[in-house]
Amino acid sequence: METMNMDCPICAAQNEEILLQTPNLRVIAVHNEANAPAFCRVIWQRHVAEMTDLQPAERAELMETVYKVEEAMRQVLQPEKINLASLGNVVPHLHWHVIARFQDDACFPAPIWAAAMREATFRLPENWSSQVKRMLNAA
């Protein structure tokens, strides 16, 4: 079972804003998605592509972390909706997107990867990721 693939941009990632890290996973804040005002990724450390590559206890750990990130983002940001996605078509390294959505974000109600329908008017607190980090590490 492969642990790292240095050709994988997730395995080789640098300069991430890590909100939580355990031996099995890490949670990062993503600030470079133009249409997503608040976005986290929950990343499985080992280089695997699918949920079924994990043992049942590992799947439970990963999903419990996704739920904790969702809960922290809901409390900090009070979004209209949270989107959860695990795609991996471009980068086949198991990770979940946890995306806060707001009625006045650029694409709502379409996915954040759709063409923008408007200029986003919602502004996040500058320290939103620090607040989420505190909540995740307090749990």
Side-chain angles (χ1 to χ4, degrees), residues 27-54:
V27 177
I28 64 169
V30 178
H31 298 286
N32 62 352
E33 286 284 343
N35 294 334
F39 188 162
C40 290
R41 280 193 194 107
V42 181
I43 301 167
W44 195 253
Q45 299 283 54
R46 195 170 73 241
H47 186 82
V48 298
E50 308 297 346
M51 290 292 290
T52 53
D53 291 334
L54 303 179

Side-chain angles (χ1 to χ4, degrees), residues 37 102-107 118-124:
F102 303 90
Q103 284 190 349
D104 53 356
D105 73 36
C107 298
R118 69 188 75 75
E119 184 175 329
T121 57
F122 183 82
R123 298 294 174 246
L124 296 169

Side-chain angles (χ1 to χ4, degrees), residues 70 81-85 97-101 108-112:
E70 176 185 311
K81 182 76 176 87
I82 294 282
N83 291 169
L84 301 177
H97 303 272
V98 184
I99 308 160
R101 300 301 308 276
F108 193 85
I112 63 161

Side-chain angles (χ1 to χ4, degrees), residues 20-27 42-45 61-62 65:
L20 176 72
Q21 185 150 357
T22 73
N24 288 330
L25 57 84
R26 68 187 185 274
V27 177
V42 181
I43 301 167
W44 195 253
Q45 299 283 54
E61 177 184 358
L62 178 58
T65 302

